[in-house]
Every structure is written in structure tokens, then in C-alpha cells.
């Protein structure tokens, strides 16, 4: 049995990997400069020529060059000038694009980041396949694929690597009524579930009601859940694994790059980068506020900049994603032999709240709340009485208490949660309880906020 999906590309020493990377980086930069007016303008704007990049340190000094809003602007310009939506950063002839997928698109112009030439599509399948393998998928598996069809990033593009690996994809949209999904799963007998954590939770609750049997009867033993935080929260992970009698792994796809996946280590270790030859993410870390480089060492927290390697159509260069991550350079216990870092997702910069000037991510708040399961159900909302990010203290949190918790026990429980928030994040909070399931269950993305000022 193979140890990894691609033994030749993944099992390298760090030195070998860096050599390949630097060579590919220089080639990619020259290519972008020569092929795209957008990148020429950008590089000239910060005063560097691709030839100037001789070492990794040279590259790190260059500031971010692009973000989501600029990507949209670049697209608007190409629509206006050339009648295509891919953006001025398109580096190949238009007719070479054979896959065009958008992300989300609920607000503003959708971005066409998931648009590929044949070469880029093969590269995508290859990078994602490495992550799928690491999270335990094998040829012959049967995947119940249950994302909201309209849900942006998780669109059909994450299915193609399954076929590429020889895996059956049983595709049913998460909008389908849950009874239909259960019926479909009962006849197709998948052994893997790919969905959001919210959907998996909905299935845990619905399956016994519909069939009279525990959800473990379904035979799903591998959980690849993504699109929301959750796997890093031990209590949520435990509940999932116990109910399905399986293992949960997550994987994260960042704007068509950032190939990585969690591993089979007992304790959650974050996501291993599996394709150092295809893109740069955690090694190009900046302070999100000052935009200055942060030294990449074990435990460092910052915003990772994305740079594509070996991408032909729409390469991203120094792309500022808006995600704060924590990077681990020490190896974990799983014996994955690749030289990449591990990454924990801390939160979206846009979601960061400031309580009396102290920054806190909603995920951190959820982390505190869920550590009180089973005295709470784990469902919660942060109540915003004024537009984010500045919150007038205390931070108000609505929490579902657990079934069987007596009203008389609630004040003490609230106090404990509030104290833990203060201890861990130096944030003053106020907990308000509602009964179990009062916040409802959704099969799409669970909201973190309740915006009362609207
Ligand atoms: Zn590992």
C-alpha cells in the first residue's frame, strides 16, 4: 500500500522541497509579469522585477498584492475591456480556460477563482487528491456528498478529485429534504460523508427519528467535514465520532489553492500542507494589521498570503485572503512524511470582534461554550446590538442549555462560562440561556451572530 497519494512529490526533505519551490516561484513570477498587464502593473507598483527574487527572503519582503475586492475589480475591468469575467490577471489565452466555477456570489460580483485550464484542472485534482488520501479516502470508497448546491466554494469542483482517485461520488444537495437524503443513503450505502459539520449534526438528529435506528447503522465510518470550524473543537468532534462510530477529518480549500488536510493522529493536529510544489500559504505569514512579515516558527499566528506555483490560467500572487491561521512547524505524531507545516484556522478577519479593544474571534467564543457540553448543547449565537467589529461590553452570548439542566443551575453555569471567557481571552461576556433546540438546526452554514441592531 502506498504511504501517500503521490510518493514522488510528497515525500521530500524540506531542503529539496524549498529548492523546487524557489525554482517554480521564479518561473511563475516571470510568467505572470510577461503575460498579464495586471501583474505587470502590480509588480511595477511595489518596485520589483521577477529577476530580483533570488531567495525566499527576497520574496517575503514584498507586500500583499491582491485581495478579494481587487480580484473583483480586476474582473470588472476584463468584462469591460475584453468581454470576459476572469479578470485582468488572466495569464493565458481565453480559449484555454475549460473549467469556470464561481465562489458564492451572494454579495457582489462572484469571483471566478475556480477557473482552470486543462493543466490547472489536473493540478487541482492532484493537489486535492493528496489531501483526500491523507484524510483516509481510498479508491473504492463511496462518498455521500451533501453540500448546499448553491454554497459557493464547496461546489462541484471538489468532487472531481474523487473521480480522479477512483472513488464513487453519491451527490445529493443539502437542500434536499432530509427524509429524501436518508432514503437515498439507505439504498446507496455510502461509507464516507462529505458535508458541513452542521449537516452532519442534522443527520445525527434526524436519522433515528426517521428510521428508529442510530445513525451509526448507516455504515458511514469516515467523515470529511468542511466549510465551517468544528473539528478543532474536541467536544464537537467527540460527539460526531461517537454517533457515527467513525473518524472525522477535515480539509480546507482556500480560494482554489492551499492544498491541505488533517491527518489520522489521535488528537487534532491541524491541517498538513500536502503540496509544497503547487502553492505557498503558511510560509508567507504577515501581521494582518501592520501587513509586515511574521517569522514562521512553531505556534506563530498571522495571515497567510497565497501564491500559486505552476498555475497557467489564473495564478494568485501574494493574495491576501483575510484568514488568520496558526502555523506549526514541529512534526505531529501521525508520521505523515511530507515536509509541509501544519495549519490551524483561527478565524476570518472580517469576523473579528473588539471588546474594549481586545480582539476575539467568534470561533474562540464557540470553543469556550462547547467545552461545557453536555451542560450546553453546543448551539450558540453572539448577539450584536451594534454593527461589528466594536462591541460595547459585555459581549452577549445566547446559549442553548443542555437537556436535563434545571433552571436553578443556570446562573452558576453562566458564571462559569463567563469566567472562562475572561480567563482565556480577557473578554467580559454575559451569557443568556435558551432551551435545547431553541436556536433551530440548519443543514447549511450555522450562523454565528444574531444581529439585533438590524
Ligand atoms: Zn499528522
Amino acid at each position: 500500500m502506498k504511504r501517500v497519494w503521490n510518493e514522488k512529490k510528497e515525500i521530500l526533505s524540506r531542503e529539496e522541497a524549498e529548492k523546487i519551490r524557489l525554482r517554480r516561484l521564479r518561473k511563475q513570477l516571470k510568467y505572470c509579469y510577461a503575460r498579464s498587464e495586471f501583474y505587470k502593473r502590480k509588480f511595477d507598483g511595489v518596485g520589483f522585477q521577477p529577476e530580483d527574487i533570488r531567495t525566499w527572503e527576497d520574496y517575503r519582503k514584498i507586500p500583499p498584492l491582491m485581495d478579494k475586492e481587487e480580484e473583483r475589480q480586476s474582473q470588472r475591468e476584463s468584462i469591460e475591456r475584453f468581454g470576459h469575467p476572469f479578470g485582468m490577471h488572466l495569464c493565458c489565452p481565453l480559449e484555454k480556460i475549460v473549467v469556470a466555477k464561481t465562489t458564492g456570489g451572494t454579495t457582489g460580483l462572484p469571483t471566478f477563482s475556480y477557473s482552470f485550464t486543462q493543466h490547472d484542472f489536473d493540478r487541482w485534482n492532484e493537489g486535492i487528491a493528496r489531501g483526500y488520501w491523507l484524510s483516509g479516502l481510498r479508491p473504492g470508497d463511496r462518498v455521500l456528498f451533501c453540500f448546499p448546491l448553491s454554497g459557493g466554494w464547496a461546489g462541484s469542483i471538489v468532487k472531481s478529485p474523487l473521480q480522479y482517485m477512483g472513488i464513487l461520488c453519491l451527490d445529493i444537495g443539502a437542500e434536499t429534504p432530509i427524509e429524501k437524503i436518508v432514503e437515498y443513503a439507505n439504498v446507496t450505502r455510502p461509507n464516507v460523508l462529505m458535508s458541513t459539520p452542521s449537516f452532519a449534526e442534522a443527520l445525527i438528529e434526524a436519522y433515528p427519528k426517521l428510521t428508529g435506528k442510530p445513525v451509526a447503522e448507516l455504515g458511514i465510518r469516515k467523515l470529511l467535514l468542511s466549510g465551517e470550524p468544528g473539528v478543532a473543537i474536541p467536544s464537537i468532534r467527540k460527539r460526531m465520532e461517537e454517533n457515527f462510530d467513525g473518524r472525522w477529518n477535515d480539509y480546507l480549500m482556500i480560494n482554489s489553492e492551499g492544498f491541505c488536510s488533517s491527518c489520522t493522529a489521535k488528537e487534532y493536529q491541524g491541517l498538513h500542507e500536502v503540496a509544497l510544489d503547487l502553492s505557498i500559504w503558511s510560509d508567507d505569514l504577515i501581521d494582518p494589521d501592520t501587513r509586515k512579515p511574521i517569522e514562521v516558527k512553531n505556534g506563530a499566528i498571522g495571515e497567510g498570503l497565497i501564491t500559486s506555483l505552476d498555475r497557467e490560467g489564473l495564478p494568485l500572487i501574494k493574495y491576501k485572503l483575510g484568514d488568520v491561521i496558526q502555523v506549526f512547524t514541529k512534526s505531529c505524531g501521525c508520521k505523515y512524511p511530507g515536509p509541509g507545516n501544519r495549519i490551524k484556522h483561527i478565524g476570518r478577519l472580517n469576523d473579528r470582534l473588539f471588546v474594549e479593544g481586545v480582539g476575539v474571534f467568534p470561533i474562540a467564543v464557540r470553543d469556550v461554550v462547547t467545552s461545557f457540553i453536555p451542560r450546553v448543547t453546543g448551539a450558540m449565537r453572539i448577539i450584536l446590538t451594534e454593527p461589528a467589529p466594536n462591541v460595547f461590553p459585555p459581549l452577549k452570548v445566547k446559549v442553548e442549555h443542555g437537556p436535563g439542566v434545571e433552571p436553578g443551575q443556570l446562573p452558576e453555569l453562566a458564571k462559569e462560562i463567563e469566567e472562562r471567557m475572561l480567563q482565556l481571552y480577557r473578554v467580559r461576556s454575559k451569557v443568556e440561556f435558551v432551551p435545547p433546540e431553541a436556536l433551530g438546526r440548519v443543514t447549511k452554514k450555522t450562523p454565528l451572530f444574531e444581529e439585533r441592531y438590524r
Side-chain angles (χ1 to χ4, degrees), residues 263 265 269 272 332 334 336 342:
C263 62
Q269 297 288 336
H272 286 267
C332 98
C334 74
Y336 173 69
R342 281 174 294 120

Side-chain angles (χ1 to χ4, degrees), residues 22 33 87 95 101 124 178 235 287 329 359-360 376 399 445:
L22 188 61
Y33 191 80
E95 59 275 16
K101 300 279 179 201
W124 161 263
I178 192 101
S235 48
D287 180 308
T329 54
V360 63
V376 302
V399 175
K445 218 174 155 86

Side-chain angles (χ1 to χ4, degrees), residues 23 108 161 236 307 318 362 374 431:
R23 195 173 62 229
I236 292 186
T307 295
K318 288 265 182 186
V431 172

Side-chain angles (χ1 to χ4, degrees), residues 225-276:
L225 308 180
S226 203
E228 292 172 327
V231 71
I233 303 170
S235 48
I236 292 186
R237 177 174 173 156
K238 191 161 167 269
R239 191 149 46 103
M240 294 275 181
E241 294 187 334
E242 281 174 0
N243 275 288
F244 281 99
D245 190 17
R247 255 201 91 76
W248 174 353
N249 276 296
D250 69 336
Y251 60 101
L252 193 63
M253 272 153 289
I254 292 292
N255 216 334
S256 72
E257 297 285 343
F259 304 106
C260 51
S261 168
S262 64
C263 62
T264 48
K266 217 165 168 221
E267 288 285 304
Y268 182 72
Q269 297 288 336
L271 302 148
H272 286 267
E273 286 192 306
V274 293
L276 296 196

